[in-house]
Amino acid sequence: MLLEHQGQSPTVDPTAYIAPTATLCGDVRVGPGCRVLFGAVLTAEGGPVELGEGCVVMENAVLRGTRQDPLTLGRHVLVGPGAYLTGCAVGDDAFLATGSRVFNGARIGPRAEVRINAVVHLRTTVADDTTVPIGWVAVGDPAELFPPDQHDRIWEVQRELDFPGYVFGLPRAPDGESIMPEVSRRYGRALDRHRTDRIL
């Protein structure tokens, strides 16, 4: 399904293949020879999503561009089934495996691998040719790699990256309080813009 969003429509190179159950919404640009498979969602939420030549986006992956951080894939990038990428830049020949997660402002260098269920955190830079092992977490600039049971060490780096400030524009809540009421209001307003989307 192709959708116009806020006056922007997807553009798909004639040599690309988009599965009939994939969804492309807004300023999504699919380059030559790309393949976007069943159930994948590519949505430009204020910023574009751009796939370079020969990219493959597998089943049920979600790629989201944001106003602050467009989403770009270089050439010959493979995004595995069920992966989630938001507002990140991925270099040529990178491999993002099944269930991988890459967050806002992250940069992944050429030929890097983010293996099954691995996480590349907000504002993290994964160097060229680096492998993030299965289930591990990359955090920081340059990235440090941690197994998932090292929460305290991950948090030491992650805290300074300021997820609530960078993504939501809100200060971290004091102990015993939550920013979620304001987060849900802001997201609700932003997502309400989809009411005027038009099926192409």
Side-chain angles (χ1 to χ4, degrees):
M1 178 179 292
L2 303 181
L3 296 166
E4 180 186 85
H5 176 64
Q6 296 190 292
Q8 299 283 333
S9 299
T11 57
V12 178
D13 188 274
T15 63
Y17 168 73
I18 309 297
T21 59
T23 300
L24 278 57
C25 181
D27 187 9
V28 175
R29 309 162 195 170
V30 179
C34 290
R35 305 292 182 254
V36 179
L37 297 186
F38 301 92
V41 176
L42 284 62
T43 183
E45 300 288 346
V49 173
E50 184 168 0
L51 277 59
E53 179 183 357
C55 291
V56 176
V57 178
M58 299 292 287
E59 294 86 354
N60 301 315
V62 175
L63 282 66
R64 182 183 306 273
T66 71
R67 181 168 281 108
Q68 185 166 342
D69 295 298
L71 188 146
T72 59
L73 303 185
R75 297 160 50 96
H76 307 294
V77 174
L78 193 150
V79 178
Y84 177 81
L85 285 65
T86 181
C88 59
V90 180
D92 295 348
D93 309 318
F95 173 57
L96 308 174
T98 300
S100 56
R101 304 288 186 259
V102 184
F103 289 98
N104 306 62
R107 301 288 177 263
I108 296 178
R111 301 170 306 281
E113 295 188 12
V114 181
R115 295 200 170 154
I116 295 169
N117 293 330
V119 174
V120 177
H121 219 292
L122 161 108
R123 301 167 70 189
T124 290
T125 299
V126 175
D128 303 4
D129 302 297
T130 297
T131 295
V132 183
I134 292 172
W136 280 43
V137 178
V139 61
D141 183 5
E144 296 182 60
L145 306 180
F146 298 101
D149 63 351
Q150 298 294 311
H151 178 267
D152 290 344
R153 293 178 64 204
I154 294 167
W155 180 241
E156 285 176 13
V157 181
Q158 181 188 343
R159 177 177 44 232
E160 301 308 313
L161 299 177
D162 187 24
F163 192 101
Y166 190 81
V167 175
F168 304 132
L170 295 169
R172 195 175 303 282
D175 289 345
E177 297 181 27
S178 175
I179 63 171
M180 291 314 298
E182 182 58 23
V183 167
S184 64
R185 281 190 288 271
R186 291 184 184 199
Y187 265 153
R189 284 193 303 268
L191 295 174
D192 192 56
R193 296 182 188 121
H194 284 290
R195 286 181 187 264
T196 60
D197 288 359
R198 185 172 65 90
I199 298 173
L200 301 173

